[in-house]
Each structure stands twice: as structure tokens, then as C-alpha cells.
Amino acid sequence: MARNLTLAAAQLGPIQKAEGRDVVVGRLVRLMETARKRGAEVVVFPELALTTFFPRWYEEDIAKAEHWFETAMPSNETAPLFEAARKYGIGFHLGYAEIAHEADEAGQVRKRRFNTAIYVHPTGEVVLKYRKVHLPGHAEFDPRRKVQHLEKRYFEVGNLGFPVVRAPIGQAGPVNIGMMICNDRRWPEAWRVMGLQQVELVMLGYNTPSINQDAKGFEAHHLRVLHSHLSIQAGCYQNACFGAGVAKAGVEDGCELFGHSIIVNPQGEIMAQATSWDDELIVADCNLDQCTLGRTSIFNFAAHRRPEAYGRIVEQVGSVAPPEWQPAARAAE
Amino acid sequence: MARNLTLAAAQLGPIQKAEGRDVVVGRLVRLMETARKRGAEVVVFPELALTTFFPRWYEEDIAKAEHWFETAMPSNETAPLFEAARKYGIGFHLGYAEIAHEADEAGQVRKRRFNTAIYVHPTGEVVLKYRKVHLPGHAEFDPRRKVQHLEKRYFEVGNLGFPVVRAPIGQAGPVNIGMMICNDRRWPEAWRVMGLQQVELVMLGYNTPSINQDAKGFEAHHLRVLHSHLSIQAGCYQNACFGAGVAKAGVEDGCELFGHSIIVNPQGEIMAQATSWDDELIVADCNLDQCTLGRTSIFNFAAHRRPEAYGRIVEQVGSVAPPEWQPAARAAE
């Protein structure tokens, strides 16, 4: 019997700076109601789905940004979402800013901030937590930028790796699920680390501006969506998994986010795409048995990978200049 | 001043089993003449560009396949290509089957066979050699396959890594060049290892059948070109480099090769595409300064990569099953 999963991606329109969590959670619950009507078994919400994308706002005193963070999950404000999941029997993926009091690398317990995502079982239990590894942007106020991108200021690098877990979702039975967040999707390393754990479904949320402020004429604006889709489609194809890439979209705090959420199959094909800049639910029937073909043929890792040639991937962080070619005539001088 | 390189990709139509190297080299020289008329400074020929894609033919005695290999480069038969390069001042990339007498890992000098590519300076000097790392297919005759794919029989895994070298090409001045071959392009590890060496131009040839014999109804035929393009476009985008993916195309020994050679820029855009299944030259003007944007912003590796999370990429060859989720209720039992 085919392992079918009815998967929903719940794109969000903008969440303005002044919008309260109660309003946002109401929108999430309505999207979950729609998901139920469409027969979905799991709903994927975006990155930082409870607030505006606050890393665009600079605070000299980071403590003043803490009202954007969650200290408990669920909380009074997010409880209705967990209730809706229970009521409808739908699992969900949620991105949010997390404050945790836990030990750091030096073993010292302290307040830590992460860009986090969780997958929640319909019972309300957190099945899997992920903290964003590839933080883009910068840590200090950048006067050259019209809009700041302060993820490196507000968040620590995620310390949970790229975990995959096998958990029951809907009628499909156990599914190997993994998560990444926004900029992670552009890094094939993240996809591969999960592929090496036989991931079947990657859930990922993003908040990506329509304008690349670094581009300065070297990148046509319309390529932003191509780059996002290219990364997700290649990641799914090369790791034989499904992917749900789910955006916050539209004009938020005056900054345009490009949306275009997609669900992708292990062939790299787009199965469903959001085309509004508003709250929008897209659904696809995912036959998880489709993950088998790639994993057992072209991307049979055990048969074809050659880690002895991949050393630089872990031995280097940045790139290094290659050697100069020495023509025989010059070399002989 | 912009660093402009006029790059040509020389797709080849089929080379039938009975076709001699002299005929093939004549075709290559004519393509080089065309390249000269179009103002190209470098021409990229495909994988195994001197013969039919012979790994589709089984030989019980591997020695009987040796007539498909080159023992010297240049040879009497390939000399006209080197002469044309010198005459026209054009560098070229050529894929061929190589027999080398050299030491193996155990230090023993013996006859070794590789699927090889070289980049040759207009002076005739070999600037860079690469031997294919990701050999697809199988080592023994497979009675279930209508067409064999015996790369793992006829070739050893390449032992040169993924080298990049900085060498003068045309008017652009020194260019960081690297190479991969056919199936390598589907492996983001190969692209990244070269990206970590600041590669600006990846030259890659391929011989890819239109039909995936392993697919058995799980993969629509038209997706074969998507998969090839997706891999090259994502590789170029994620490593901020140009790529020339050059096919042997058409019906060769009764087996259809899909062609669709492309030149791709660091934005992942297709700049030129072959649409015939014949000898066909495509040309693009590559502004190598376009490599800078990605390398200094989104893909500033030093600023954003997190190798501590990538360990599995080199620590594992094959994939491993993820742990099963233990619900709290069950875990407490």
C-alpha cells in the first residue's frame, strides 16, 4: 500500500510590527481550519510565524528585542493553535524566536536566543526541534542598508545540528522528517546532512525580501524567486525527499517579501505553489514511496559517494585562492 | 575593466561504435573553426568525446575494451585538435578515456583506467587534468538492463580530487577553472569542493541517456533534462561560478542521449542552450566579475558556513536510518 501524506503549506501574508500574537494565532487557526477542510494531515507554517520579521529592526540593547521571543511553547497566546491541532488531528510545523535558559558550549547555563522551528504532533507533543544554523545578515547596525538584517545580532547559531526523526504523521505511518529555516535552504550541506539520515520530508519556513540590497545591479530582481525555488528543488531531487518551503509574503513593515511558497517532490518538481501575498493554503498529496527511487539508484549514497574527495567541506570554512598555473616555459626559467 | 570571457560549448551529435577517431577529430576541428568565427576564446567538448559512450558495451575481458582508451595525449589521431587550438589561439576542454601507467594507493605502478578530462592551453600545454570521481552504473553485466552502464567496470574512481587552477584564458586574464564529468554534476559536494577553491568556471561534459532504466514508472521521461539543468544551475548559483555543461546528444548505438547542453551564469540563469541532437556550438559572453556578488554576500563562505554541523558529509558514505520518535506516553511506560 502506498504511503500517502496529504501535506499543506500555510503561507502567511505580512504581520505588521504592531500586530499582536493573539491576532496572528487567530490567522494560524483559520489556516488550520482550511487545512482540515482540504483533508490535510500536516500543516507547515513559516519562519518566525508569530511576529513581524523583527531582525529588520535595530535595538542597541538586545533585551529590548526580547518581546519578540517566546519563553514557553505552548504559551497562553499560542495555546489555541495546539488546541486546534488536537481538535482536527493535524500535526503542524511552526517557526518562532526562542529564548532558552540552558548550558552553552562552556557548560554555563545562561539565557540564549535562537531562530527555532518545531514539529508538533496532534497530541500537542513536540516531536522535533530545530534551531537555524545558517544565520544570514549582520550583527551590528549597517548604515548603508535601508533595511537591516540583524539575525547575527539577535540569534546564536543553532546548536542542534540538522536532526531527522521517524515519527507517525497521518495515514502514512512513520515518516522521516527534518527541518531547515530560510537561508539554510540555499546550503546544499544542510540538505545532504539530512539526506544522509534518509529524510523524506523537509519542512522549512522563510521570510525573504524581494530586493537583494547587496545586488547593486548585478542581479535582476525577478531572480530572487528562481534562487529560492532552485535551491529547494535541487535539494529535494539530490536527496530524494519532499520539501515544503513556506513563506511569509507581502509588504511587512514597508519591506516586500516575495512569497511563492512551494511543495516539491523527490523529482524536484513543484507540486503546488502559492501565488498571492496573503494568507494562503496550498496542498499536495505526497506519495512517500517516491523517495525510494532516487535513494536506491542515482543517489544510492553507499554505492556512489566518495567522501575522501569531500574533505574541504569540513576542513575549511571560507574559500581559498587556487594555485596559479605555471606554464612549462615559465616553470623552466 | 570587466573580465570578459567568450565561452563556447561544443555539443556533439552521436559517435557511432564504428566511427574512427579520425572522423571524430575532424568534427571537433570543424567545431573549433566555428568557435573561432564566433569569437570564442575557449571551447568545451563533452565527456568521452573521441568515441561512442562505450561503457554501454560489455566486455568480459577488460583488455578488449582498451581500444576505446587513449594512451597518449596528444596522439597522432588527436594532434589536429591541438594544432587547431594553436592556430586559432583557442583553449579547449576534452573528455576521453585514459590509460595511465602509474602508482596506485599501495605504491605499485600498474596500468590504470580513468574517465578523464583535460583543459588545454592554446600552446598545447595541458593546464589541468581531472579524473571522474562519481562513477555511476555497475561493474558486472546486468541482465535486467537493455543497455549496460559499465563505468564502474572500466574506470577506477578518479584520484585527483576536484582541483582548481588559476590560468590565463583569452582576454579575461587569469580565470579560476575547475572540471567535473557527467554524473559529478548531480553531487553538490563536487561543486562545493570547487567553490571552496573560488572556482569561476566549471567545465563539464556528459553522455546522459534520455531514458532512466531504473525509473520503472516513477519518473516521467521529460524530467531527465530538468534534473541535469537543476543540478548545474543550483551548482553555479550556490558557488557563484559559470558552468558549461556539454553533452553528447542524439541516437548513439541505438541509445538516445538527451543533449540540451547549457552555459549557466553565477545567478543560475541559462545563458545559452543547444536544442539540436547534432554537433552544435553555443556561445556566451561571460563577465567573470559576476562571480564576486555571490562570493561576497549570500555565499560569503567565511561569514556563513558552519562546518561543525556538516560532519556526516565526510563521516558517512551511505545514509543511516533516523531514530524513532518516542511519544512521552510510550516513553514513560
Side-chain angles (χ1 to χ4, degrees), chain B residues 114-267:
Chain B
F114 297 101
N115 188 339
T116 295
I118 49 173
Y119 174 71
V120 180
H121 193 266
T123 57
E125 257 191 278
V126 173
V127 172
L128 188 62
K129 178 184 279 193
Y130 168 69
R131 290 164 170 169
K132 188 173 183 175
V133 166
H134 295 101
L135 298 172
H138 44 104
E140 299 304 328
F141 184 83
D142 182 347
R144 297 165 307 176
R145 296 180 70 98
K146 281 191 194 167
V147 181
Q148 301 296 300
H149 194 129
L150 292 156
E151 287 194 64
K152 285 194 198 290
R153 182 175 192 78
Y154 293 126
F155 304 118
E156 289 186 59
V157 171
N159 60 348
L160 303 176
F162 294 99
V164 175
V165 73
R166 185 163 179 79
I169 302 189
Q171 300 299 308
V175 180
N176 300 347
I177 57 171
M179 296 184 279
M180 51 174 77
I181 300 178
C182 194
N183 182 44
D184 287 321
R185 72 196 187 284
R186 305 182 197 271
W187 297 86
E189 293 93 336
W191 290 92
R192 183 61 98 227
V193 169
M194 289 199 280
L196 284 163
Q197 297 169 82
Q198 301 179 4
V199 73
E200 295 173 315
L201 170 60
V202 173
M203 298 183 268
L204 76 97
Y206 60 91
N207 282 269
T208 312
S210 300
I211 303 287
N212 178 355
Q213 289 182 82
D214 295 316
K216 297 177 178 56
F218 279 102
E219 179 183 287
H221 300 318
H222 74 273
L223 296 177
R224 298 284 280 170
V225 172
L226 172 73
H227 292 162
S228 178
H229 286 188
L230 197 54
S231 297
I232 298 171
Q233 291 178 265
C236 287
Y237 165 60
Q238 293 171 340
N239 295 281
C241 62
F242 287 85
V246 190
K248 186 124 60 64
V251 182
E252 184 179 87
D253 298 352
C255 175
E256 190 183 288
L257 306 171
F258 64 60
H260 281 82
S261 306
I262 50 175
I263 297 175
V264 174
N265 74 11
Q267 296 290 340

Side-chain angles (χ1 to χ4, degrees), chain A residues 245-326:
Chain A
V246 190
K248 186 123 62 61
V251 182
E252 184 180 87
D253 299 351
C255 176
E256 190 182 289
L257 305 172
F258 64 60
H260 282 81
S261 306
I262 49 175
I263 298 174
V264 174
N265 74 10
Q267 296 290 343
E269 291 179 285
I270 294 174
M271 306 174 76
Q273 175 174 277
T275 57
S276 79
W277 279 0
D278 211 337
D279 292 3
E280 178 177 354
L281 195 91
I282 57 173
V283 178
D285 282 318
C286 303
N287 174 358
L288 295 159
D289 291 334
Q290 289 182 0
C291 301
T292 307
L293 174 61
R295 191 165 294 151
T296 57
S297 56
I298 288 185
F299 298 112
N300 178 337
F301 292 162
H304 302 309
R305 291 183 80 247
R306 306 302 314 188
E308 71 274 17
Y310 307 157
R312 286 181 189 271
I313 292 172
V314 295
E315 290 158 13
Q316 287 178 222
V317 181
S319 63
V320 295
E324 298 257 355
W325 175 60
Q326 298 294 333

